[in-house]
Amino acid sequence: MSANTERYETAVTRYFEAWNASGPDTPAKAVAAAWAPDGTYTDPLADVRGHEEIAAVIASAHERFPGFALRPLGAVDGHHDIARFGWELVDETDGSAPVAGFDVIVLDGEGRIRSVHGFLDRVPA
């Protein structure tokens, strides 16, 4: 595994940890570990900046989809400071995945996320 591949994998692992974090302080800490302080998150449903706003988007997804977890779908691919990966939102009770998509992330010099550009491929009606 190249140093860049490891860098992408680490960033994406932290991304999933942030999306799957639970408990009173854990989501905010996970977002801070994954994103640069002025990092952004943009998808068809959100366009936010900073740890607080990103954590709020994640909290909103948890409220809308209780009992679901974000899981990787396929391999992480990247070059320079950019990586892309697929994901799906999985119901932990029955394994169904009503939501899926892919994200493109841009990393800063420390390997934290500067920006996320998300795309939804499968959404419930």
Side-chain angles (χ1 to χ4, degrees), residues 21-48:
S22 60
D25 295 328
T26 309
K29 288 179 182 175
V31 167
W35 269 269
D38 64 342
T40 63
Y41 177 87
T42 305
D43 71 13
L45 306 173
D47 186 8
V48 298

Side-chain angles (χ1 to χ4, degrees), residues 43-109:
D43 71 13
L45 306 173
D47 186 8
V48 298
R49 175 180 298 277
H51 292 170
E52 242 180 76
E53 291 182 11
I54 294 166
V57 167
I58 293 170
S60 177
H62 282 260
E63 289 172 13
R64 177 146 187 217
F65 295 96
F68 283 74
L70 199 68
R71 301 283 184 238
L73 189 60
V76 175
D77 181 31
H79 60 83
H80 296 86
D81 289 331
I82 304 167
R84 66 178 176 165
F85 55 94
W87 53 265
E88 58 186 356
L89 192 61
V90 178
D91 185 329
E92 295 187 301
T93 59
D94 68 11
S96 64
V99 183
F102 78 92
D103 289 350
V104 175
I105 62 174
V106 178
L107 304 178
D108 68 9

Side-chain angles (χ1 to χ4, degrees), residues 1 4-14 75-77 83:
M1 179 182 309
N4 277 339
T5 300
E6 185 174 325
R7 183 171 177 246
Y8 307 139
E9 293 283 345
T10 298
V12 171
T13 296
R14 287 185 188 142
V76 175
D77 181 31

Side-chain angles (χ1 to χ4, degrees), residues 12-24:
V12 171
T13 296
R14 287 185 188 142
Y15 175 87
F16 282 104
E17 287 170 354
W19 274 95
N20 292 319
S22 60

